[in-house]
Amino acid sequence: EVMKDVPYKYYQPWVVGFFELSDRDVQEILHSSDMQLWKRPMEMLASLPLIIPPVPMNPQDIINANLATLSAVDMEKLVGRIMQERTLLYLETFLSHPQVSINARIGSKKRTLLHIACGHGDVDKVTLLLDHKAKVNVADTEGLTPLHYCVHPAEDLMHSVSIMTLLFNQKASVNLCDRHIRSALHYACILQSEKLVQLLLQKGADLAILDAF
């Protein structure tokens, strides 16, 4: 019912298979006492925020959660959901959890909350994380720092400039390079973003760094 107006071409394969079941089969799955029959489809449905709005989160659920029992994949999904919320309430609640470390590495790429917030271009969340003493020069498994994550396409330019300024105010290093020996300036040049290039040069970006290509 929720997805009946979504164009068929946007359905992922598992969704198509689920919809090809008869109404009777669907009802049997949803009302079965065997949780394994319906739990996975519902989890997958909740993981598709671009197709339908995610199931509303309750901040109290975050407080009550035993985060230590979550797998790396589930923790990454939880943080992704929190970062997608427009309000700061969910991130503030998450940060108040006794099992949360502001600089914890998340997921297979070992990103921090600050990496993710910078990648989302969310000025308010970046500000909140910096207020909680998030480290600005930490690198993920690719060697990318939060400053690298600020380099966005043109439509996010103003957010990128604002977030970069916040990072520089917290002593972000402008010349740190990823595993390809590329600094944030390399990526700003690739995007041909004049404003980002100007800002990085003003902060001392080194024009002489050669990448690995």
Side-chain angles (χ1 to χ4, degrees):
E1 181 68 23
V2 174
M3 296 184 64
K4 66 181 181 180
D5 295 324
V6 177
Y8 189 83
K9 66 179 180 179
Y10 293 120
Y11 294 162
Q12 295 192 9
W14 79 268
V15 180
V16 175
F18 193 70
F19 283 173
E20 287 177 349
L21 295 173
S22 68
D23 289 343
R24 180 178 178 179
D25 288 336
V26 172
Q27 290 301 317
E28 182 178 350
I29 289 174
L30 295 179
H31 293 90
S32 173
S33 60
D34 183 357
M35 294 184 65
Q36 296 306 314
L37 287 178
W38 64 268
K39 184 176 180 180
R40 184 56 181 161
M42 292 301 98
E43 288 176 345
M44 296 179 76
L45 186 63
S47 71
L48 300 173
L50 297 181
I51 294 181
I52 61 173
V55 177
M57 294 177 64
N58 184 343
Q60 191 61 40
D61 292 338
I62 299 175
I63 289 294
N64 295 334
N66 183 1
L67 300 181
T69 65
L70 294 182
S71 67
V73 172
D74 287 337
M75 177 60 79
E76 189 170 21
K77 288 181 179 178
L78 174 61
V79 170
R81 285 285 308 280
I82 290 170
M83 289 299 185
Q84 288 171 359
E85 296 289 343
R86 293 183 179 180
T87 175
L88 289 176
L89 174 62
Y90 297 91
L91 181 56
E92 290 171 338
T93 303
F94 185 71
L95 292 174
S96 70
H97 196 289
Q99 294 174 330
V100 169
S101 171
I102 186 69
N103 293 305
R105 304 301 189 90
I106 300 165
S108 60
K109 293 185 178 180
K110 304 301 181 184
R111 299 180 298 173
T112 64
L113 293 169
L114 187 58
H115 281 101
I116 298 170
C118 289
H120 279 262
D122 194 316
V123 178
D124 291 336
K125 290 187 176 69
V126 169
T127 301
L128 176 63
L129 293 169
L130 292 176
D131 288 343
H132 280 74
K133 310 302 182 185
K135 294 181 179 179
V136 297
N137 289 319
V138 64
D140 66 11
T141 56
E142 297 292 318
L144 298 167
T145 67
L147 190 64
H148 285 95
Y149 276 73
C150 291
V151 182
H152 291 297
E155 60 267 21
D156 295 319
L157 179 59
M158 295 310 299
H159 288 163
S160 295
V161 170
S162 297
I163 293 174
M164 279 187 175
T165 301
L166 289 172
L167 296 179
F168 286 130
N169 288 341
Q170 297 299 318
K171 310 300 184 185
S173 179
V174 71
N175 288 315
L176 289 180
C177 296
D178 65 9
R179 67 186 184 90
H180 300 298
I181 319 181
R182 285 180 170 177
S183 67
L185 181 61
H186 284 87
Y187 291 104
C189 289
I190 290 171
L191 284 180
Q192 300 181 348
S193 175
E194 183 177 349
K195 285 189 177 296
L196 293 184
V197 168
Q198 287 178 345
L199 176 59
L200 291 166
L201 290 176
Q202 288 170 3
K203 297 299 180 179
D206 189 350
L207 287 168
I209 296 175
L210 299 178
D211 66 15
F213 295 94

